Amino acid sequence: MLPRPLSNPKGDSKSLTKLGKVMVLVSFLWYLYNLFSLPSGTIDRGKLMTIPMSIQSKLLEDDVKSTTGRPKIALLSSFIASSMWSGDAMKGFQRYINHTINKACYCHLWNIDFIFNQTRGITIVENEVADEDGSKWWLKFGCWDRVSHLQAAFDRGYEWVLYGDLDYIVKDMSRPIEGFLAELDLYGKDNVHVISFSFTSVPSDYNLRSHDKVYSFSSFALLIRNSPFGRRVLDNWIAFANGICSRGNFASTSNDHSYKWFHSDQPGLWYALMKTHMEFFPNDVHPPGIVTCNATTGLIDTSKTGWWMDFDRYFATNGAKVGNYGDRLNSVPDNQPIIFSRSAKDTKSGLGVDHSWVPRTHTEAFWNWAFALHYKDSGEAWDDTMKNELQLCKTRHGCVVDQDERGQISVSCGSNHTTNNDTN
């Protein structure tokens, strides 16, 4: 701050004028020093490109935090056309135009960024090979690029990124993502770096279960923090994408390497969470490499662990607690880095409720209170309130999705483009 004008009760105006000028000069020089010197604490990672590369690595050891007081949050969706889609992938996307408008509108209302990324990162074009012996054939499935897209969002300086699949739709437009973070802050859970879909961070397809066991979950929604832990999760996820064993991860079940869910990025996330947890919290529940490679097949030995790689047992044995609000959240250890959510039949749902795979008789009780749904049906099948709000997004807020002849998709609301095709 510049000093206030000096008063002169004794009338020595010249000396005080000189002193005032000196004080102004000193204050200005101090201002310049603080402006251009390197900050000692955490910084907005979006400004890293102005800092010499030699010191960037040290800065990245810290959590990325906003300098405005409000966390910098983005909602991210990905679309890479590939053979994991049945039929023409670009035509298949038409089914999810309303889903995309829904997410863009939510971000428009809460003034946060919506990123729609179609950039190939780690995936390969169909009929190409990722290595000489073709063992990385699973990288032809476009879902793997959600990992590189999350990394790209971190590189842009977002503190938290909510990833939502194409068929992820926000049901409660009135609830901000920051509300989930405020809940953690309220209960002193400052060490959380990943939140699952089911009811706050890491989602669970079995949020209907009333007991406290940790269960492997779907990655249709994931809220992840741009922190050393969060970034390491992405690193380990990428490592799984490249194949943990000499010939990859899991055996193909067909000659043409057709898509099966266990060839997607989903098991990679389970692996990455366990591996990262073990790195930050050393333990011997699993082998140091999390999985065991079969010497004969050159693939992960799933004979005792299944495709889930004993995810549930790993976290249960390590004392992880389930809970994302109220007494359950209060019982979660303060140093637990992952929130495994569960919900009762009330308004405290988490990141989403499955509306596609788990039998509706099991999850219907949670739909009314859900923040969001994992729901493949088009907008015409949504409930009346959601259909009405979708129409308002289109007419009142001008949210539209356009697709050109090359298959490039753009999304905008009002006069502001809220999405873009990022580059990694």
Side-chain angles (χ1 to χ4, degrees), residues 175 180 198-200 324-325 343 346-353 366 369-372:
R175 184 175 186 182
F180 296 107
S198 187
F199 294 114
T200 287
N324 58 281
Y325 68 93
S343 181
D346 54 31
T347 59
K348 289 282 191 173
S349 73
L351 293 185
V353 175
F366 302 105
W369 313 118
F371 167 69

Side-chain angles (χ1 to χ4, degrees), residues 116-323:
F116 191 89
N117 200 329
Q118 290 183 266
T119 307
R120 283 194 184 275
I122 60 174
T123 60
I124 57 177
V125 177
E126 201 75 16
N127 299 320
E128 292 184 0
V129 293
D131 55 356
E132 291 182 0
D133 63 1
S135 63
K136 295 183 182 180
W137 50 266
W138 59 88
L139 290 181
K140 67 182 180 179
F141 303 131
C143 57
W144 282 102
D145 264 325
R146 83 178 70 195
V147 192
S148 51
H149 294 169
L150 281 165
Q151 287 182 321
F154 276 6
D155 288 342
R156 292 181 58 182
Y158 292 103
E159 297 171 63
W160 287 88
V161 180
L162 171 58
Y163 178 86
D165 274 352
L166 285 178
D167 54 0
Y168 179 71
I169 49 176
V170 178
K171 189 173 188 296
D172 185 357
M173 290 285 198
S174 68
R175 184 175 186 182
I177 296 174
E178 289 162 282
F180 296 107
L181 306 182
E183 188 98 31
L184 299 177
D185 187 31
L186 175 64
Y187 283 87
K189 308 305 175 184
D190 301 325
N191 195 49
V192 172
H193 302 273
V194 182
I195 301 176
S196 70
F197 91 67
S198 187
F199 294 114
T200 287
S201 288
V202 176
S204 169
D205 285 327
Y206 295 95
N207 40 25
L208 56 138
R209 299 181 180 183
S210 59
H211 41 68
D212 292 330
K213 286 190 65 178
V214 172
Y215 285 90
S216 49
F217 57 91
S218 167
S219 59
F220 74 71
L222 184 75
L223 184 57
I224 186 165
R225 184 178 184 178
N226 192 350
S227 64
F229 189 97
R231 293 191 290 273
R232 191 61 184 153
V233 167
L234 299 187
D235 291 341
N236 285 321
W237 205 350
I238 290 287
F240 193 91
N242 286 317
I244 296 300
C245 300
S246 61
R247 297 193 62 250
N249 298 319
F250 305 123
S252 175
T253 57
S254 62
N255 292 331
D256 62 351
H257 300 315
S258 59
Y259 177 78
K260 299 292 183 183
W261 73 266
F262 46 85
H263 297 313
S264 74
D265 62 297
Q266 176 65 81
L269 177 57
W270 299 333
Y271 166 85
L273 289 173
M274 290 187 285
K275 180 67 172 173
T276 306
H277 181 272
M278 183 178 285
E279 291 171 353
F280 281 76
F281 302 89
N283 65 85
D284 59 1
V285 173
H286 277 11
I290 299 299
V291 299
T292 301
C293 296
N294 185 295
T296 302
T297 65
L299 300 169
I300 295 174
D301 185 352
T302 59
S303 60
K304 295 181 179 179
T305 66
W307 293 304
W308 299 266
M309 296 166 284
D310 261 355
F311 179 92
D312 306 350
R313 185 178 70 84
Y314 175 85
F315 282 105
T317 307
N318 271 292
K321 298 291 185 182
V322 170

Side-chain angles (χ1 to χ4, degrees), residues 73-78 107 112-117 149 152-154 156 158 161-162 418-422:
I73 300 171
L75 197 164
L76 165 69
S77 277
S78 299
C107 292
I112 62 174
D113 290 343
F114 176 47
I115 302 170
F116 191 89
N117 200 329
H149 294 169
F154 276 6
R156 292 181 58 182
Y158 292 103
V161 180
L162 171 58
T418 59
T419 69
N420 63 326
N421 287 308
D422 280 3

